[in-house]
Amino acid sequence: MQDERGLYYYPDPTNRRARVYVRVTDGAIEFRLWQADHAEVWDKHGWIPLEVIRNAAAMYRDMGRETDPMLLYDEAVARALLKEAGSL
């Protein structure tokens, strides 16, 4: 899907009030979260490169956390959206 902010997907298909936007910058996939209930998130947090998210996921695993950032920032979905849009 796409709107004035760019390409996005719903990380939780049952919640249309949160979106993850995707783009490619210098060949790298980047993500940015938007939440209707917390508009400040968009303003305070910029684009996050996929590599940073991968590193965070590895750190979470090493610390024994069950949370996996890769579930929110889904590389496969991002690649599919970007490919469909002609950005990859």
Side-chain angles (χ1 to χ4, degrees), residues 23 65 71:
R23 72 178 186 186
R65 290 189 179 179
L71 297 175

Side-chain angles (χ1 to χ4, degrees), residues 72-85:
L72 177 63
Y73 301 104
D74 191 315
E75 180 180 0
V77 172
R79 286 189 180 281
L81 277 175
L82 292 163
K83 185 175 180 179
E84 183 177 300

Side-chain angles (χ1 to χ4, degrees), residues 1-72:
M1 287 149 287
Q2 188 166 2
D3 66 10
E4 69 279 354
R5 288 183 186 93
L7 291 171
Y8 69 90
Y9 64 90
Y10 296 109
D12 175 358
T14 65
N15 179 6
R16 301 284 184 174
R17 299 183 61 75
R19 298 175 182 167
V20 174
Y21 287 82
V22 297
R23 72 178 186 186
V24 175
T25 301
D26 297 328
I29 296 174
E30 297 179 325
F31 297 85
R32 191 168 181 182
L33 182 63
W34 174 86
Q35 295 177 313
D37 298 329
H38 301 284
E40 70 277 5
V41 171
W42 181 265
D43 296 328
K44 291 181 180 181
H45 300 283
W47 291 91
I48 305 169
L50 175 59
E51 194 59 34
V52 169
I53 296 166
R54 285 182 181 153
N55 290 339
M59 287 174 46
Y60 280 31
R61 280 191 302 275
D62 292 347
M63 293 185 317
R65 290 189 179 179
E66 293 183 22
T67 306
D68 183 0
M70 298 303 291
L71 297 175
L72 177 63

